[in-house]
Amino acid sequence: MTAVDLSPQMLHRLAEKAYALGLSDRVIGVRADLNDGWPALGTIDLVWAAASLHHMAEPDRVLAGAFDALRPGGLLALTEMDFFPRFLPDDIGVGRPGLEARVHAALSPAPAVDWTDQLARTGFVLEARRPFSVDLAAPLPPAAARYAEVCLRKLRSHLDEQLPVEDLATLDALLDSEGPHSVLRRDDLTVRTTRTTWAARRP
Ligand SMILES: C[S@@+](CC[C@H](N)C(=O)[O-])C[C@H]1O[C@@H](n2cnc3c(N)ncnc32)[C@H](O)[C@@H]1O
């Protein structure tokens, strides 16, 4: 398996996981910016693109590159999140209830892209399109709290005047890793979202 990613950290993480599973000899990391085109990888049976296409400057071009890279009969499995995950209960015990809903409403996220038509235009034949629910209940391992913190910090970076000062203060309290209200200290976090996967074949 060859993993292509722009980020050396992601490739390093993958190499560590492969090592831990005794799969180092079967996993090769290739650092490449797919916005600059696909690296030469030889004949490919399967392209697995999870939560990455939305990062690309020109996803159409990256899909066309995947099509060209696949052997005839090869499969593309494409997964994208339908909406940013939710983590918090409605009442978090600090500030006004409903904070997370107000954060998402304030940012008015673009609707999720349905890649079905684009895949067909690229030349792929759709084999399946399936939504998956992610609904992880509390208590969750510490990694979930770190994930929540990263996601909430990203949302916070896009927010300023769109939310009342009181909400921004509550959000900042959740993101103060050393503070008493840090999201890292919570044992009531959940992870709720949906993802859609498309399986499409190069004829
Ligand atoms: C949300 S992460 C998903 C990672 C992994 N596929 C997974 O499912 O856990 C998005 C990944 O896309 C990578 N990425 C973003 N832009 C890229 C680009 N232009 N070329 C290659 N990889 C890119 C990021 O470095 C990151 O590892």
Side-chain angles (χ1 to χ4, degrees), residues 63-80:
L63 281 181
F67 185 89
D68 292 340
L70 279 166
R71 66 164 170 80
L75 194 70
L76 166 72
L78 167 66
T79 294
E80 286 293 329

mmCIF file of all heavy atoms in Angstrom, residues 63-80:
data_model
loop_
_atom_site.group_PDB
_atom_site.id
_atom_site.type_symbol
_atom_site.label_atom_id
_atom_site.label_comp_id
_atom_site.label_asym_id
_atom_site.label_seq_id
_atom_site.Cartn_x
_atom_site.Cartn_y
_atom_site.Cartn_z
ATOM 1 N N LEU A 63 -9.593 14.242 -8.861
ATOM 2 C CA LEU A 63 -10.386 13.068 -9.240
ATOM 3 C C LEU A 63 -9.960 12.561 -10.616
ATOM 4 O O LEU A 63 -9.845 11.348 -10.842
ATOM 5 C CB LEU A 63 -11.874 13.415 -9.278
ATOM 6 C CG LEU A 63 -12.595 13.467 -7.928
ATOM 7 C CD1 LEU A 63 -14.070 13.792 -8.142
ATOM 8 C CD2 LEU A 63 -12.452 12.152 -7.170
ATOM 9 N N ALA A 64 -9.722 13.482 -11.540
ATOM 10 C CA ALA A 64 -9.283 13.082 -12.877
ATOM 11 C C ALA A 64 -7.924 12.381 -12.779
ATOM 12 O O ALA A 64 -7.673 11.383 -13.475
ATOM 13 C CB ALA A 64 -9.200 14.299 -13.798
ATOM 14 N N GLY A 65 -7.063 12.873 -11.873
ATOM 15 C CA GLY A 65 -5.759 12.231 -11.668
ATOM 16 C C GLY A 65 -5.929 10.821 -11.117
ATOM 17 O O GLY A 65 -5.204 9.902 -11.499
ATOM 18 N N ALA A 66 -6.901 10.651 -10.208
ATOM 19 C CA ALA A 66 -7.161 9.317 -9.644
ATOM 20 C C ALA A 66 -7.639 8.383 -10.749
ATOM 21 O O ALA A 66 -7.230 7.219 -10.830
ATOM 22 C CB ALA A 66 -8.208 9.413 -8.538
ATOM 23 N N PHE A 67 -8.493 8.915 -11.612
ATOM 24 C CA PHE A 67 -9.021 8.106 -12.725
ATOM 25 C C PHE A 67 -7.860 7.632 -13.612
ATOM 26 O O PHE A 67 -7.757 6.456 -13.954
ATOM 27 C CB PHE A 67 -10.010 8.950 -13.540
ATOM 28 C CG PHE A 67 -10.703 8.187 -14.623
ATOM 29 C CD1 PHE A 67 -11.889 7.510 -14.380
ATOM 30 C CD2 PHE A 67 -10.171 8.145 -15.907
ATOM 31 C CE1 PHE A 67 -12.529 6.796 -15.382
ATOM 32 C CE2 PHE A 67 -10.797 7.435 -16.924
ATOM 33 C CZ PHE A 67 -11.988 6.764 -16.657
ATOM 34 N N ASP A 68 -6.983 8.565 -13.973
ATOM 35 C CA ASP A 68 -5.855 8.220 -14.846
ATOM 36 C C ASP A 68 -4.902 7.234 -14.177
ATOM 37 O O ASP A 68 -4.286 6.408 -14.849
ATOM 38 C CB ASP A 68 -5.076 9.487 -15.232
ATOM 39 C CG ASP A 68 -5.899 10.390 -16.147
ATOM 40 O OD1 ASP A 68 -6.869 9.887 -16.763
ATOM 41 O OD2 ASP A 68 -5.591 11.595 -16.216
ATOM 42 N N ALA A 69 -4.767 7.374 -12.844
ATOM 43 C CA ALA A 69 -3.801 6.532 -12.126
ATOM 44 C C ALA A 69 -4.314 5.098 -11.950
ATOM 45 O O ALA A 69 -3.521 4.165 -11.842
ATOM 46 C CB ALA A 69 -3.510 7.139 -10.754
ATOM 47 N N LEU A 70 -5.629 4.928 -11.923
ATOM 48 C CA LEU A 70 -6.192 3.593 -11.700
ATOM 49 C C LEU A 70 -6.076 2.740 -12.959
ATOM 50 O O LEU A 70 -6.207 3.253 -14.077
ATOM 51 C CB LEU A 70 -7.674 3.701 -11.330
ATOM 52 C CG LEU A 70 -7.991 4.032 -9.883
ATOM 53 C CD1 LEU A 70 -9.465 4.446 -9.756
ATOM 54 C CD2 LEU A 70 -7.696 2.835 -8.968
ATOM 55 N N ARG A 71 -5.898 1.459 -12.765
ATOM 56 C CA ARG A 71 -5.971 0.552 -13.918
ATOM 57 C C ARG A 71 -7.433 0.420 -14.330
ATOM 58 O O ARG A 71 -8.342 0.619 -13.484
ATOM 59 C CB ARG A 71 -5.394 -0.816 -13.567
ATOM 60 C CG ARG A 71 -6.219 -1.564 -12.527
ATOM 61 C CD ARG A 71 -5.875 -3.029 -12.473
ATOM 62 N NE ARG A 71 -6.485 -3.683 -11.327
ATOM 63 C CZ ARG A 71 -7.751 -4.090 -11.259
ATOM 64 N NH1 ARG A 71 -8.579 -3.892 -12.269
ATOM 65 N NH2 ARG A 71 -8.207 -4.682 -10.170
ATOM 66 N N PRO A 72 -7.718 0.080 -15.594
ATOM 67 C CA PRO A 72 -9.112 -0.188 -15.958
ATOM 68 C C PRO A 72 -9.683 -1.271 -15.029
ATOM 69 O O PRO A 72 -9.021 -2.272 -14.755
ATOM 70 C CB PRO A 72 -9.008 -0.674 -17.409
ATOM 71 C CG PRO A 72 -7.747 -0.044 -17.918
ATOM 72 C CD PRO A 72 -6.805 -0.012 -16.734
ATOM 73 N N GLY A 73 -10.861 -1.035 -14.486
ATOM 74 C CA GLY A 73 -11.449 -1.964 -13.517
ATOM 75 C C GLY A 73 -11.103 -1.591 -12.079
ATOM 76 O O GLY A 73 -11.668 -2.145 -11.138
ATOM 77 N N GLY A 74 -10.162 -0.657 -11.909
ATOM 78 C CA GLY A 74 -9.746 -0.247 -10.562
ATOM 79 C C GLY A 74 -10.834 0.567 -9.865
ATOM 80 O O GLY A 74 -11.718 1.141 -10.500
ATOM 81 N N LEU A 75 -10.735 0.621 -8.538
ATOM 82 C CA LEU A 75 -11.810 1.202 -7.735
ATOM 83 C C LEU A 75 -11.341 2.445 -6.967
ATOM 84 O O LEU A 75 -10.244 2.452 -6.414
ATOM 85 C CB LEU A 75 -12.291 0.157 -6.725
ATOM 86 C CG LEU A 75 -13.607 0.424 -6.012
ATOM 87 C CD1 LEU A 75 -14.783 0.292 -6.989
ATOM 88 C CD2 LEU A 75 -13.799 -0.559 -4.860
ATOM 89 N N LEU A 76 -12.207 3.443 -6.952
ATOM 90 C CA LEU A 76 -11.998 4.612 -6.083
ATOM 91 C C LEU A 76 -12.998 4.515 -4.933
ATOM 92 O O LEU A 76 -14.203 4.355 -5.166
ATOM 93 C CB LEU A 76 -12.259 5.899 -6.874
ATOM 94 C CG LEU A 76 -12.397 7.175 -6.029
ATOM 95 C CD1 LEU A 76 -11.046 7.599 -5.452
ATOM 96 C CD2 LEU A 76 -12.975 8.313 -6.864
ATOM 97 N N ALA A 77 -12.496 4.606 -3.697
ATOM 98 C CA ALA A 77 -13.384 4.706 -2.529
ATOM 99 C C ALA A 77 -13.171 6.094 -1.942
ATOM 100 O O ALA A 77 -12.073 6.431 -1.499
ATOM 101 C CB ALA A 77 -13.050 3.631 -1.508
ATOM 102 N N LEU A 78 -14.203 6.875 -1.994
ATOM 103 C CA LEU A 78 -14.116 8.275 -1.582
ATOM 104 C C LEU A 78 -15.049 8.496 -0.391
ATOM 105 O O LEU A 78 -16.234 8.163 -0.463
ATOM 106 C CB LEU A 78 -14.557 9.141 -2.773
ATOM 107 C CG LEU A 78 -14.843 10.609 -2.519
ATOM 108 C CD1 LEU A 78 -13.566 11.333 -2.130
ATOM 109 C CD2 LEU A 78 -15.428 11.249 -3.775
ATOM 110 N N THR A 79 -14.490 9.010 0.684
ATOM 111 C CA THR A 79 -15.315 9.282 1.878
ATOM 112 C C THR A 79 -15.158 10.739 2.285
ATOM 113 O O THR A 79 -14.036 11.243 2.335
ATOM 114 C CB THR A 79 -14.885 8.377 3.054
ATOM 115 O OG1 THR A 79 -15.183 7.029 2.716
ATOM 116 C CG2 THR A 79 -15.634 8.723 4.327
ATOM 117 N N GLU A 80 -16.276 11.377 2.547
ATOM 118 C CA GLU A 80 -16.232 12.758 3.037
ATOM 119 C C GLU A 80 -17.241 12.919 4.177
ATOM 120 O O GLU A 80 -18.298 12.269 4.184
ATOM 121 C CB GLU A 80 -16.559 13.756 1.916
ATOM 122 C CG GLU A 80 -15.433 13.940 0.917
ATOM 123 C CD GLU A 80 -14.189 14.621 1.492
ATOM 124 O OE1 GLU A 80 -14.302 15.457 2.404
ATOM 125 O OE2 GLU A 80 -13.079 14.307 1.028
#
